[in-house]
Amino acid sequence: MKKIDKNNPLESLEHWEDDVLQRYPDPETPKKQEEEFRDYQNSERVDTVREFYKLNHQHQTYDFVNKKEEEFLKFDKKEMSLWEAVDFLNTLVDDSDPDIDLDQLQHLLQTSEAIRADGHPDWFVLTGFLHDVGKVLCLFGEPQWAVVGDTFPVGCKFSDKIVYPEFFETNTDSNNERYNNKYGVYKENCGLDNVKMSWGHDEYLYQIMKDYLPEPALYMIRYHSFYAQHRENAYDHLMSDHDHKMFEWVKKFNPYDLYSKAPVPPDAKALKPYYEDLVAKFLPEKLKF
């Protein structure tokens, strides 16, 4: 068995995505037999996901998030159009998935085309198309555990509903009296806009897009990996009534992200004119990353 890189254990972002699919299966689909899941021939996939979350939970502290916001929310890494960002992201092509060989553009198109097929508004379709573009953080030198993974609030007690909660034992905030209680630095029902989330592609892309898209789209982008809330309701005590209303959009978006993958790639060339017009309708020619 191949040795796991302890500093950056996921060989592919697909390891995390496959783990999410198995933890949150489609409730409307009959349970798959074990042999129907992707066959990694008893590889270390489960171990790499555990190692990923061990690092994620150890290092995602309140101070770490502040540091990353200071570093990346200057948006001084690269200036690109959305299309250039997608091309840039395509250097993250997965070469370890035994069943589906899709680059990032194809995953984005599968998500957005499923949304379009169901007749949702154009801003919803665009959200599906760009929701993972924040993963360009990997190409700016960030390890996967600081880019992908389930997200959660920092600055308050970590919920036992978060995946692998035992790994928070090594997080220094767990022993900090300021942070290790129910509300931490926050107040009851203060609203998620006042809550710092663990650092990753969701928050990064939200900050890039917050002046351009409707509020429901921004909630989808910012909280689509916040499974401890939209699947477990673990942070109701921090959410406002408005957050609960907006999370109906997050829950509506989530199945398109998780369950739209298919082995037949979309025809990107044929679809590009539609998406060029859609992107131009909402976004400026250049974005700062």
Side-chain angles (χ1 to χ4, degrees), residues 9 12 23 51 77 102 128 230 271:
S12 162
R23 284 189 286 121
E51 193 65 28
K77 303 300 181 186
L102 298 181
H230 57 71
L271 292 170

Side-chain angles (χ1 to χ4, degrees), residues 105-216:
L105 172 60
Q106 290 168 333
H107 166 57
L108 296 177
L109 284 173
Q110 285 186 337
T111 304
S112 58
E113 283 296 287
I115 292 168
R116 182 156 72 125
D118 283 350
H120 291 297
D122 56 1
W123 58 262
F124 196 157
V125 178
L126 179 61
T127 302
F129 180 65
L130 57 78
H131 75 280
D132 274 346
V133 169
K135 291 178 183 177
V136 297
L137 284 168
C138 285
L139 300 168
F140 297 144
E142 289 295 275
Q144 286 102 326
W145 59 260
V147 177
V148 298
D150 291 15
T151 59
F152 45 84
V154 295
C156 60
K157 185 177 181 180
F158 300 114
S159 170
D160 62 5
K161 300 297 184 182
I162 302 169
V163 60
Y164 296 120
E166 64 273 20
F167 291 143
F168 285 114
E169 293 179 1
T170 60
N171 187 302
T172 56
D173 286 359
S174 294
N175 297 314
N176 188 319
E177 292 183 358
R178 185 183 180 207
Y179 305 130
N180 65 3
N181 59 87
K182 182 176 181 179
Y183 294 103
V185 299
Y186 311 115
K187 295 181 179 180
E188 185 175 7
N189 303 124
C190 62
L192 291 179
D193 196 46
N194 297 303
V195 173
K196 287 189 181 295
M197 299 294 294
S198 54
W199 177 251
H201 75 282
D202 308 54
E203 181 67 21
Y204 179 57
L205 185 64
Y206 160 76
Q207 293 290 344
I208 293 171
M209 295 293 168
K210 64 182 180 181
D211 294 331
Y212 306 119
L213 298 177
E215 186 179 26

Side-chain angles (χ1 to χ4, degrees), residues 6 13 15 63 96 100 109 114 116 119 129 156 189 193 214 252:
K6 296 294 185 180
L13 300 183
H15 281 160
D63 287 345
S96 68
I100 299 180
L109 284 173
R116 182 156 72 125
F129 180 65
C156 60
N189 303 124
D193 196 46
K252 187 176 293 187

